[in-house]
Amino acid sequence: MLVLALDTATPASVAAVAEVTDDGMRGLAERRTVDPRAHGELLAPQISATLDEAGVRLREVGAIVAGLGPGPFTGLRVGLVTAAAIGQALRLPTYGVCTLDALGRTAGPGRVLVATDARRREVYVATYQDGVRVGEPDVCRPAEVRVDADRAVGEGAIRYSEVFGLPIDERVQFPPGAALVALAADRIRAGAPGEPLTPLYLRHPDAVASASRKHVLQ
């Protein structure tokens, strides 16, 4: 089955096409552009270019995988809304994957701290043992992170490397689309029902409803 993967939970807009088979998977094409303020402008053209590079038409895709975050509100919503819209329009199942898990899987064996930039001088973090997450993702200031790892990955780890005091693997900064597909591959092979793409914000929104009622003529 051909699978389209999307992620906009980090400063990177990621689009990838992979093929999932009964005994494995292979990546066919992937595009990534880093601009934290342009997910909305970049993602659709990247999807088109990635499909062209893979020699695949959108109607040939059998499933959608999307990074659920955690990530900043605006950027994260772009990928999830796009994935949900394509899935609904083409009646395709959609599957969600924690974005940090894709980075943790890519980091490989050992005890690894994954950190992405949450803005406001905070990071989204999780710890991984041999690619498997230990505990739940969190958002906090770098100095508040409980460092229990041998090395770190992610653009947040690079930004706050002096605080974490760990060796940094700068090759792993943003979630590869192939890793997103790999994490959802068992569900895809099993023909599992599609899932609602519920974002992992880890924060309450800044905008809140007014507690008082205002006269319409004021």
Side-chain angles (χ1 to χ4, degrees):
M1 180 184 292
L2 295 172
V3 181
L4 175 66
L6 309 175
D7 191 284
T8 57
T10 72
S13 298
V14 177
V17 176
E19 182 179 27
V20 174
T21 63
D22 289 340
D23 54 0
M25 62 156 283
R26 65 187 181 104
L28 301 179
E30 180 163 343
R31 295 287 181 105
R32 176 191 304 146
T33 303
V34 181
D35 187 333
R37 301 184 182 279
H39 294 97
E41 293 82 2
L42 294 171
L43 187 59
Q46 284 195 185
I47 292 171
S48 179
T50 304
L51 290 168
D52 288 345
E53 182 180 340
V56 171
R57 296 181 180 180
L58 188 55
R59 65 172 177 264
E60 297 177 282
V61 171
I64 312 288
V65 175
L68 300 177
F73 288 87
T74 303
L76 178 55
R77 283 197 297 263
V78 171
L80 295 183
V81 168
T82 302
I86 295 174
Q88 185 175 33
L90 299 182
R91 298 183 179 179
L92 300 176
T94 58
Y95 303 99
V97 171
C98 173
T99 299
L100 299 180
D101 289 358
L103 285 160
R105 179 185 178 91
T106 305
R111 191 83 168 183
V112 181
L113 177 73
V114 174
T116 60
D117 188 11
R119 302 178 186 173
R120 305 180 189 174
R121 299 181 181 178
E122 292 183 330
V123 287
Y124 297 113
V125 292
T127 300
Y128 292 78
Q129 179 66 50
D130 298 330
V132 179
R133 178 157 35 92
V134 179
E136 295 299 317
D138 195 10
V139 57
C140 59
R141 293 188 178 277
E144 298 171 344
V145 175
R146 180 176 178 270
V147 178
D148 179 23
D150 301 318
R151 56 193 171 93
V153 301
E155 95 280 9
I158 295 172
R159 180 182 293 267
Y160 298 105
S161 59
E162 293 184 1
V163 178
F164 294 137
L166 294 172
I168 308 296
D169 186 348
E170 296 190 8
R171 297 171 299 174
V172 184
Q173 294 190 41
F174 306 109
L180 294 166
V181 176
L183 288 165
D186 287 344
R187 286 173 281 171
I188 294 169
R189 292 190 191 98
E195 308 157 351
L197 299 177
T198 304
L200 297 171
Y201 287 133
L202 302 189
R203 279 190 184 132
H204 295 297
D206 291 331
V208 295
S210 175
S212 61
R213 303 179 68 178
K214 187 176 181 179
H215 195 282
V216 293
L217 298 180
Q218 291 182 337

